[in-house]
Amino acid sequence: QIGEIQRVEAIQRSFTAKIESCQHLNYWQRLEHLGLYSLQRRRDRFRILYMWKIFKGLVPNHLNLVFKESLRRGPYVERPLGKSTSKSVNSTIFHSCTSTAVSLFNATPKIVKEQTTLEAAKRELDHFLTEIPDRPPIKDYGRQTDNGILDWLNCQRGHMTNMCS
């Protein structure tokens, strides 16, 4: 999967390298200088915002997701878990796009989820994302692990110290 991310990210990396004011910067610095997200970060951001739209009733809940409320966490979704006797089927369900989107939404701060307009939710989400490094895995850049929001949050909580450097 990291190889696929690197190939897709290489397109944006190549484009940003051609910008005159960025030619002396590495890719991660170019993203920050230009105020851009990596493609992987944009995908995670989209998933969070799509879940927010389902929660607010702006798009249909065809997935029949169950939203609940917690005083500490605010709105959250019950993560769909596999009920199969097959571990591989349950693993596939656990790692599906829907399940990942639920985890991202649940990890998002309460202030983002409680916004009443899409623009306000985007603004608060972008503020939250400024606190999370955006270091996509790029060949020869040293970091060869995932750049997903959930991975970074696990680092901050001390669950994955080997990738947090």
Side-chain angles (χ1 to χ4, degrees):
Q1 181 182 2
I2 287 178
E4 293 170 11
I5 292 169
Q6 289 174 340
R7 284 191 291 279
V8 172
E9 203 72 45
I11 297 166
Q12 182 167 286
R13 189 177 94 190
S14 173
F15 180 81
T16 59
K18 293 175 172 84
I19 298 171
E20 189 173 328
S21 66
C22 297
Q23 290 177 345
H24 64 287
L25 304 172
N26 71 34
Y27 181 51
W28 299 336
Q29 293 167 332
R30 291 194 303 266
L31 289 174
E32 189 172 332
H33 176 74
L34 296 169
L36 296 174
Y37 290 122
S38 67
L39 300 176
Q40 184 178 14
R41 182 60 46 91
R42 278 192 250 165
R43 206 170 34 256
D44 282 352
R45 182 179 179 271
F46 170 81
R47 288 176 178 158
I48 292 167
L49 291 171
Y50 194 78
M51 291 298 297
W52 181 89
K53 288 177 182 180
I54 293 173
F55 171 62
K56 295 296 183 177
L58 300 176
V59 297
N61 184 0
H62 294 302
L63 304 171
N64 297 318
L65 297 171
V66 178
F67 290 87
K68 295 192 173 186
E69 187 77 27
S70 160
L71 287 176
R72 182 180 59 83
R73 295 175 10 187
Y76 69 97
V77 185
E78 287 187 338
R79 188 168 186 183
L81 298 174
K83 293 178 173 71
S84 173
T85 56
S86 166
K87 287 183 180 181
S88 65
V89 169
N90 289 337
S91 178
T92 300
I93 292 168
F94 184 80
H95 294 290
S96 71
C97 182
T98 300
S99 187
T100 303
V102 165
S103 293
L104 285 164
F105 181 81
N106 289 344
T108 302
K110 183 177 179 179
I111 191 168
V112 175
K113 297 182 270 187
E114 291 182 338
Q115 295 303 310
T116 57
T117 67
L118 179 58
E119 289 308 313
K122 286 179 181 180
R123 186 174 48 255
E124 289 297 335
L125 178 57
D126 288 337
H127 177 72
F128 167 66
L129 293 178
T130 62
E131 301 170 12
I132 302 173
D134 192 4
R135 304 274 188 251
I138 300 296
K139 187 178 179 195
D140 301 327
Y141 272 59
R143 188 163 206 292
Q144 296 299 306
T145 55
D146 201 5
N147 184 49
I149 292 169
L150 294 172
D151 296 308
W152 281 110
L153 292 174
N154 282 331
C155 280
Q156 290 174 347
R157 294 176 187 132
H159 300 310
M160 298 174 63
T161 54
N162 62 325
M163 77 162 269
C164 301
S165 54

